[in-house]
Amino acid sequence: MVRHFVLLGFSELPELQGFLSGVFTIIYLVVLIGNSLIITVTILDPALQRPMYIFLANFSSLEICYVSVTLPRILFDLWTQKRNISVLGCATQLCFFLMLGTTECFLLAVMSYDRYVAICHPLHYPLLMNPKKCAQLAAASWLGPVLVQIGQTCQIFSLHFCKSNQIAHFFCDIPPILKLACGDTSAQEVSAYVLTLLVGAVPFMLILASYCKIVSTILRLPTAQGRAKAFSTCSSHLLVVLLFFGSSTITYFRPKSSHSARTDTLLSLFYTVVTPMFNPFIYSLRNKDVIVALRKLFFKNTVP
C-alpha cells in the first residue's frame, strides 16, 4: 500500500530546474504583490467602497489563496528535489484546490450578477446589492463548496493505491490520482465528472445569462459614449471568465484519448498559475477607478 506519493512535476527537465525556479518565483511574487495592492486600495480608498470592488477584493484574496495551494509546493520541489508528499498532505492539497477552484466559479458568477443588476436595473441597484446582500453572496461563495469538496476528497482517498506512487503532475489533482488506484474507480470518476460539471457549468450558465441581458441592455442605450462606458465596467470581468473557464474546460472535459502527462501539465499551469498572474493587470489596467486609487496610494505624498 502506498504511504506517500512522488510528484514528478518537471523532473523530466533536469537542465531547466534553476530557470523554472526563477520563473515560478517571479510569478508568485507578481500574484502576491498585484492582488495585495488591489485589496489594499479597495480597503483604503472611499471611492472603491462599492459592491463591485468589494467582490474584486474578495476575488484578489481568493487568487492569492488559490495560487498558494500549488506554487509553494512547486518551488519546494524545484529547490530541494525532494518530491515526496504524504497521502494526508496530498489529500489536503487536493481538498483546498477543489474548494478554492469552486469558490472561484461561484465568485465569478456573483460578480456577473452584480454587473447585471448595475447595468440592467440601475435604479434598484442600491436595494438589491446592499452591504448585507454583498456579504451574504461573498460568504456563500467561500463557504458553499467546503462540505461538498471535503466529501469528494474523502471519496477519492478512500480508494486503495497500489499500482504506483508516482503522480505525473506538479500537484495532487483528481485524474492523475485516480490513475494510481487499484480496483474499479468508475464510481469516483463519474462522481468527480458530475460534480465538476455542476460547479463549473451552472455558474458559467448564470454568467452567460447575465451577459446576454447586459449586452442586450447596452445595445439599447441611446449614445455611443454610454454604451462604451457600460461595457467598460464589465469587460475586465468577462475577460477573466473566458480565461478561467476556457482553460479549465479544455483540461477536464476533453476526450480521454487526447490526455497526456505533458499536455495536462501545460493546461493546468495555465489556469492555476498563468491566469491568476494576469488577473491583477486585467483589473487594474482596464479600470480607471483602480488606476486612480493606485496613483493616490503611491503618489499622494509627492503631489503638491
Side-chain angles (χ1 to χ4, degrees):
M1 297 300 297
V2 170
R3 297 186 181 278
H4 68 271
F5 294 109
V6 179
L7 292 169
L8 297 181
F10 306 96
S11 58
E12 75 278 9
L13 303 170
E15 70 281 0
L16 295 178
Q17 299 295 291
F19 172 75
L20 290 172
S21 175
V23 169
F24 287 129
T25 300
I26 292 171
I27 290 175
Y28 194 39
L29 290 174
V30 168
V31 171
L32 292 178
I33 295 171
N35 286 291
S36 295
L37 283 175
I38 290 177
I39 296 168
T40 302
V41 296
T42 303
I43 294 173
L44 297 180
D45 196 317
L48 300 185
Q49 300 297 314
R50 289 179 280 163
M52 175 181 176
Y53 298 105
I54 292 172
F55 290 133
L56 178 56
N58 272 270
F59 187 74
S60 294
S61 303
L62 173 66
E63 292 291 71
I64 292 174
C65 297
Y66 185 61
V67 172
S68 296
V69 171
T70 55
L71 257 181
R73 179 70 213 196
I74 295 173
L75 292 173
F76 176 81
D77 291 342
L78 291 171
W79 290 339
T80 66
Q81 296 300 309
K82 295 178 180 178
R83 302 178 181 276
N84 290 358
I85 183 170
S86 67
V87 173
L88 178 60
C90 189
T92 302
Q93 186 185 49
L94 176 63
C95 187
F96 276 99
F97 174 75
L98 294 175
M99 286 193 297
L100 294 171
T102 305
T103 297
E104 182 151 355
C105 294
F106 290 176
L107 199 52
L108 287 172
V110 168
M111 293 168 77
S112 72
Y113 173 72
D114 171 69
R115 292 299 83 210
Y116 159 74
V117 176
I119 293 173
C120 300
H121 303 283
L123 297 179
H124 296 94
Y125 185 75
L127 178 64
L128 294 175
M129 298 303 294
N130 57 68
K132 182 179 179 180
K133 184 69 171 290
C134 292
Q136 289 173 342
L137 290 171
S141 299
W142 282 94
L143 300 177
V146 172
L147 292 178
V148 175
Q149 297 300 359
I150 288 176
Q152 185 178 26
T153 304
C154 292
Q155 183 188 36
I156 291 170
F157 279 88
S158 65
L159 295 167
H160 296 291
F161 301 96
C162 55
K163 292 181 180 178
S164 171
N165 70 336
Q166 296 187 338
I167 298 176
H169 214 336
F170 59 86
F171 73 100
C172 294
D173 200 5
I174 294 175
I177 291 174
L178 289 179
K179 288 179 182 178
L180 306 182
C182 48
D184 183 19
T185 62
S186 56
Q188 284 78 11
E189 289 178 7
V190 171
S191 174
Y193 186 85
V194 170
L195 192 57
T196 303
L197 189 64
L198 286 174
V199 302
V202 172
F204 182 74
M205 294 304 294
L206 292 174
I207 293 169
L208 190 61
S210 297
Y211 274 102
C212 286
K213 291 285 189 180
I214 288 170
V215 171
S216 175
T217 302
I218 289 175
L219 292 177
R220 292 199 301 268
L221 293 176
T223 65
Q225 184 180 5
R227 289 193 294 269
K229 183 178 180 181
F231 186 74
S232 68
T233 65
C234 55
S235 58
S236 299
H237 176 257
L238 184 59
L239 182 56
V240 171
V241 167
L242 292 175
L243 287 173
F244 177 76
F245 280 99
S247 57
S248 56
T249 299
I250 294 172
T251 301
Y252 288 103
F253 295 109
R254 73 187 194 280
K256 273 192 172 183
S257 57
S258 64
H259 280 237
S260 70
R262 182 163 293 184
T263 304
D264 288 346
T265 299
L266 289 175
L267 288 172
S268 297
L269 271 176
F270 190 80
Y271 75 88
T272 60
V273 176
V274 178
T275 300
M277 178 185 68
F278 285 133
N279 288 347
F281 297 103
I282 293 172
Y283 276 112
S284 60
L285 296 178
R286 297 178 61 86
N287 190 298
K288 292 181 180 180
D289 291 336
V290 175
I291 291 174
V292 170
L294 287 170
R295 285 176 178 169
K296 288 180 183 178
L297 179 67
F298 286 109
F299 302 113
K300 62 181 178 180
N301 294 326
T302 61
V303 176

